[in-house]
Amino acid sequence: QIDDKPVMLFYKGNYNCIEKTEKINIIGSRNASVDGLKMAYKLGYDFGKDKYCVVSGLAIGCDEQAHKGCLDGNGITLAVLPSGIDKIYPYRNNYLAENIIENNGCLISEYPIGKNVSKNQFIERDSIQSGISKCVLLCESSLNSGSMHTIDFAKSQGKIISCVDISADGNEKIKKDDRCVVIDNEKDIEELKDKINNLKRDKKDKINN
């Protein structure tokens, strides 16, 4: 479901995370506000607890909190890396990568063992995050954040898009899109889950027909 899709993916951990259909990509700024970070953690926890696989990029900030929330909710989480799976970036989240593996999660990358991170690889990583997920959920972002690339990829790939109702330029832009599910309360979260589940059923129906 990705233009210029990688020839192969490298993975470490539980391969079933890749094949699991109920995946949601929770993303956001590295420099998010306290409220944005709290929402990333809460959403990771909530979706992880309900057996969705939480996908994110292991970056400092919202990504990190989404992974942590999912783990604390006894869920499984998948990290898409902008480097080889043996070159954890950022290095300070090496412990988090280990926790993900130890708790039945997975690390994936399109880059071979030994490949260090470079600027263009972040954008390529973003296309995989959205490509393997049913939905991309933005916690908080400015207009020039890398998270906006992921939202653009999600739109082009026909994914569900969603964002937290928080005062940030990126969120305000996405909220204007009629396709966006805006998260403001628990009811909105349940609506998003229903939309993800219905998308899965619709695709099964098309295959059966």
Side-chain angles (χ1 to χ4, degrees), residues 136-165:
V136 175
L137 169 53
L138 178 70
C139 295
E140 180 180 346
S141 174
S142 63
L143 285 173
N144 60 359
S145 169
S147 296
M148 300 304 287
H149 291 298
T150 315
I151 291 292
D152 288 340
F153 284 127
K155 290 179 179 179
S156 68
Q157 294 163 0
K159 307 295 182 175
I160 299 167
I161 58 171
S162 180
C163 76
V164 175
D165 190 7

Side-chain angles (χ1 to χ4, degrees), residues 10 81-89 109-121 124:
F10 299 84
L81 303 180
S83 56
I85 54 175
D86 62 327
K87 300 283 186 179
I88 301 301
Y89 183 88
S109 173
E110 67 175 292
Y111 306 110
I113 300 298
K115 179 71 171 177
N116 288 312
V117 70
S118 66
K119 188 175 181 180
N120 66 296
Q121 289 166 200
E124 292 168 355

Side-chain angles (χ1 to χ4, degrees), residues 39 43 136-138 160-166 171-192 195:
M39 281 302 299
L43 291 165
V136 175
L137 169 53
L138 178 70
I160 299 167
I161 58 171
S162 180
C163 76
V164 175
D165 190 7
I166 201 168
N171 296 57
E172 292 298 332
K173 179 180 179 180
I174 299 167
K175 282 161 56 177
K176 295 176 183 177
D177 192 313
D178 292 339
R179 295 169 291 179
C180 180
V181 179
V182 180
I183 303 297
D184 184 44
N185 51 49
E186 296 296 330
K187 183 179 178 181
D188 296 331
I189 296 174
E190 293 307 313
E191 177 188 340
L192 180 57
K195 194 164 186 177

Side-chain angles (χ1 to χ4, degrees), residues 95-112:
Y95 81 98
L96 181 55
E98 292 177 357
N99 284 345
I100 288 171
I101 298 297
E102 290 170 0
N103 287 276
N104 214 28
C106 188
L107 309 178
I108 69 170
S109 173
E110 67 175 292
Y111 306 110

Side-chain angles (χ1 to χ4, degrees), residues 32-95:
S33 65
V34 172
D35 287 342
L37 295 174
K38 285 182 177 178
M39 281 302 299
Y41 179 89
K42 172 182 167 45
L43 291 165
Y45 183 92
D46 197 300
F47 279 92
K49 176 175 62 68
D50 281 357
K51 308 307 179 186
Y52 292 80
C53 177
V54 173
V55 176
S56 204
L58 204 71
I60 295 167
C62 290
D63 290 15
E64 180 181 39
Q65 293 303 313
H67 288 304
K68 288 180 178 178
C70 181
L71 290 171
D72 287 348
N74 295 317
I76 57 172
T77 182
L78 184 155
V80 186
L81 303 180
S83 56
I85 54 175
D86 62 327
K87 300 283 186 179
I88 301 301
Y89 183 88
Y91 181 76
R92 80 171 223 184
N93 276 342
N94 192 64
Y95 81 98

